[in-house]
Amino acid sequence: MTEKHNAHGAEFGRAAISRLEWLAVLAACAAASLIAIVWSWRNGAMLNYGDAVAHLHIARRVLDSRRPGLTQLGSVWLPLPHLLMIPFVQVYAWWANGIAGTIPSALAYLACCAGVYRLARNWLRPAAAALALAFFAMNPNLLYLQTTAMTEPLFVCETIWTVVWLVEWRACLDDEPKKACRLQGWIALALVAAVFTRYDGWVMAFAAWTAMGVTLARRGGLRPRGFWLASAVVVAAPVVWCVYNAAAFGDWLDFLRGPYSATAIEIRTSVPGFPPHPGWHDPWVSLIFYVRTAELDAAAIAWGNAVLVVSLLGTLWVWLTARKSGLQWALLLWFPVAFYAYSVSYGSVPIFLPVWWPHSWYNTRYGMELLPALALGLGFAAQFAISATREFKPQWAKYVAALLFAVVALNAGKMLRERPLVYVEGTKNIEARRAYDAEIPPVLRGLLAERPNGAVLMISSVYPEIVAFSGIKLRQTINESDKEFYEAALAAPAAHAAVVLAFDGDQVDSAVKTHPEGLLAVRRFTTPGQQPGTIYVSDTSSSR
């Protein structure tokens, strides 16, 4: 291994990672993942987030619906997370209990950890790289999210590996053109995956691929056919999604301006005369909200500012002392700061924090996207501390390293004691649904036991777990994703469904009030903060 020593005693150099290192990294991270999964399972936390339940629901309905097909993926959420879950949601129990979402998320977590360590070892010795990994892998918020069907673990994985391959691509561009070409292909695939996971990926893909193009252009390397083929693949990804929206929903920007888009939701939920959320049309406030969210996601409440400052100083130190080492490509990890400062201001993406008005929890998980940058920056700071100690007091270096690991462990412990921000948001999320999840499925099961093949007319996207908890298949329901069947049933509910579940003010409720003939209300459900629901049965003999 070739290392470079700078004037300040730091050591840099791309080192081969031994098999023993990899085994230790993967074993430790797999153990952490498994412990978190067991905890989440035993505490019933896998389905806390309504979005997690919705992701499982979307994946299931691609094959289990009256009109199966890719159009069941919907128009707003990007498709890759749902496609990855499709094999697992076919097991009914895994769909109902959330395991179907845990499997791809946990695998993404392990890939994240491997990527963080591999990236850190480009500049750091094993001790500092392991500390960066420990800070990342022991984060309670990340450990919780990787037990759910949320999209953040997958997107963070794609971001990390994009940066890993970008750094390695630049390192071998001069001397190993064939390897650089292969890495170029991997980068393109990672960016395409990011584009099909979250809309953040669209901007990241544009920034990363443009930077690659500029680098190649300066070196006169834009002529090879491989770069243009890879470029076509990257550009095609968002185009494919727009074409899909046009073909399936009649508007190529339906995800941006349709009835279920973030903009439409913001308009429906805004109070006239008041800004929709903190940071609305104010980039500075939006920046502060996002950075504070990232701090609270990464560290104990009192330590957030210190973690951010130390991480930034560590990154700056390496930037100044090892500028030719490819670090500029790793700065892409800080991309979420700019993206969310803009998105909160102008993209209808609110973030609520309990420490600031309106003192609530909403989209706090977005701060997790900055965790890799903070972890790597802390690794740089640790390298500085250990190297400086070794320079003046070599015998103390191991004690400094041990102290730093103890601080990382203490941070994780304090976060657990304070209750991780993202987990708390999930618990607040499920509180609104808990009563209906417990009360409605048994009633549906009882009614359907008397009507084994009876169809249930309902809107399934608001409380999708009701279907799974009832033990019926989605194709036994008539819901808003099966457009033709749904519209026909709304015109004559009793003629098309044996059981109708309506919540006050929704489309099914309006249909029941417009066409009440043949329907008998059998049970009314109420819970604080939610619209009351009513179950009707049809006395029309042809209902099925």
Side-chain angles (χ1 to χ4, degrees):
M1 175 185 73
T2 301
E3 291 181 344
K4 179 175 72 176
H5 296 256
N6 63 41
H8 301 279
E11 301 165 1
F12 300 103
R14 290 178 176 82
I17 303 175
S18 69
R19 181 176 297 179
L20 183 60
E21 275 186 83
W22 275 127
L23 288 175
V25 166
L26 294 176
C29 295
S33 174
L34 184 59
I35 290 171
I37 290 171
V38 171
W39 181 91
S40 190
W41 169 267
R42 294 185 64 179
N43 287 273
M46 291 178 175
L47 299 176
N48 278 6
Y49 271 100
D51 282 0
V53 176
H55 291 311
L56 290 162
H57 171 70
I58 291 171
R60 174 77 184 191
R61 75 189 188 192
V62 171
L63 297 180
D64 179 13
S65 64
R66 291 175 176 257
R67 190 169 56 91
L70 292 179
T71 57
Q72 294 288 353
L73 292 168
S75 65
V76 177
W77 275 326
L78 288 156
L80 183 58
H82 309 124
L83 293 173
L84 294 177
M85 285 188 281
I86 285 176
F88 308 111
V89 294
Q90 302 315 306
V91 180
Y92 196 100
W94 292 0
W95 168 44
N97 60 30
I99 287 291
T102 301
I103 295 172
S105 290
L107 292 175
Y109 165 81
L110 292 177
C112 283
C113 294
V116 166
Y117 191 76
R118 178 163 162 173
L119 182 63
R121 289 291 275 124
N122 278 280
W123 303 281
L124 305 178
R125 292 175 64 84
L131 187 131
L133 174 61
F135 179 81
F136 178 86
M138 291 172 59
N139 180 274
N141 288 304
L142 180 62
L143 283 169
Y144 168 63
L145 281 179
Q146 61 98 36
T147 72
T148 73
M150 301 300 282
T151 63
E152 281 72 21
L154 178 60
F155 185 74
V156 170
C157 173
E158 293 155 352
T159 301
I160 290 170
W161 279 97
T162 295
V163 172
V164 168
W165 287 323
L166 278 170
V167 171
E168 295 178 359
W169 168 79
R170 183 61 187 89
C172 65
L173 191 58
D174 295 328
D175 304 322
E176 301 176 84
K178 289 185 178 179
K179 183 179 179 181
C181 186
R182 289 197 301 272
L183 287 168
Q184 185 176 268
W186 284 112
I187 294 166
L189 289 177
L191 292 175
V192 168
V195 165
F196 283 122
T197 300
R198 293 180 64 87
Y199 292 103
D200 320 23
W202 293 36
V203 182
M204 184 179 74
F206 175 79
W209 204 256
T210 299
M212 290 177 66
V214 170
T215 299
L216 290 173
R218 288 176 175 175
R219 307 174 62 81
L222 282 177
R223 286 174 294 178
R225 184 173 58 182
F227 174 77
W228 292 107
L229 288 175
S231 299
V233 171
V234 173
V235 171
V239 172
V240 165
W241 187 242
C242 291
V243 171
Y244 161 82
N245 271 258
F249 304 102
D251 182 359
W252 67 290
L253 290 178
D254 191 71
F255 61 91
L256 186 63
R257 60 193 180 195
Y260 303 106
S261 66
T263 302
I265 293 173
E266 182 179 76
I267 292 173
R268 287 197 298 269
T269 57
S270 296
V271 177
F274 293 90
H277 59 263
W280 186 72
H281 289 188
D282 190 334
W284 176 246
V285 172
S286 300
L287 173 66
I288 293 173
F289 259 79
Y290 181 73
V291 170
R292 186 56 177 157
T293 302
E295 290 178 354
L296 293 174
D297 283 346
I301 293 175
W303 292 12
N305 290 336
V307 166
L308 177 65
V309 170
V310 171
S311 182
L312 286 171
L313 289 176
T315 303
L316 178 62
W317 171 68
V318 176
W319 173 259
L320 295 175
T321 58
R323 196 161 182 176
K324 300 297 183 182
S325 65
L327 180 66
Q328 64 270 26
W329 297 95
L331 295 180
L332 186 65
L333 293 175
W334 292 91
F335 151 82
V337 174
F339 177 83
Y340 280 103
Y342 176 85
S343 296
V344 173
S345 298
Y346 305 108
S348 302
V349 179
I351 293 177
F352 297 161
L353 292 173
V355 294
W356 290 335
W357 181 86
H359 306 292
S360 184
W361 290 259
Y362 192 61
N363 289 336
T364 59
R365 63 192 183 277
Y366 291 169
M368 296 304 303
E369 293 184 25
L370 200 60
L371 185 61
L374 294 173
L376 188 60
L378 290 176
F380 291 148
Q383 177 89 332
F384 173 81
I386 295 170
S387 297
T389 304
R390 188 181 294 117
E391 185 77 15
F392 299 103
K393 294 286 185 179
Q395 68 275 20
W396 289 6
K398 60 183 179 182
Y399 299 112
V400 170
L403 177 62
L404 293 174
F405 276 101
V407 171
V408 168
L410 180 60
N411 174 65
K414 285 177 69 66
M415 291 182 70
L416 286 172
R417 188 167 56 193
E418 294 169 357
R419 301 184 77 207
L421 185 67
V422 171
Y423 169 71
V424 172
E425 182 183 342
T427 62
K428 300 295 181 182
N429 204 285
I430 198 174
E431 285 175 3
R433 314 187 323 267
R434 196 184 302 276
Y436 286 165
D437 288 351
E439 295 172 8
I440 295 177
V443 177
L444 282 178
R445 279 196 298 271
L447 293 173
L448 292 172
E450 303 170 5
R451 307 163 179 79
N453 298 314
V456 180
L457 173 61
M458 62 181 294
I459 291 179
S460 63
S461 59
V462 178
Y463 302 103
E465 61 270 50
I466 287 176
V467 179
F469 293 171
S470 298
I472 62 175
K473 294 185 177 181
L474 273 171
R475 67 173 63 98
Q476 195 173 342
T477 70
I478 304 174
N479 61 70
E480 70 280 13
S481 67
D482 301 318
K483 188 174 181 181
E484 299 86 352
F485 300 97
Y486 180 64
E487 291 179 349
L490 291 180
H496 290 82
V499 178
V500 177
L501 173 58
F503 293 92
D504 289 8
D506 69 10
Q507 285 183 311
V508 176
D509 180 56
S510 298
V512 169
K513 290 176 178 176
T514 304
H515 308 285
E517 54 276 4
L519 293 175
L520 174 66
V522 295
R523 184 73 179 269
R524 180 81 166 167
F525 303 90
T526 60
T527 189
Q530 301 295 302
Q531 293 295 332
T534 306
I535 290 182
Y536 303 84
V537 294
S538 169
D539 61 7
T540 303
S541 60
S542 61
S543 296
R544 58 186 185 279

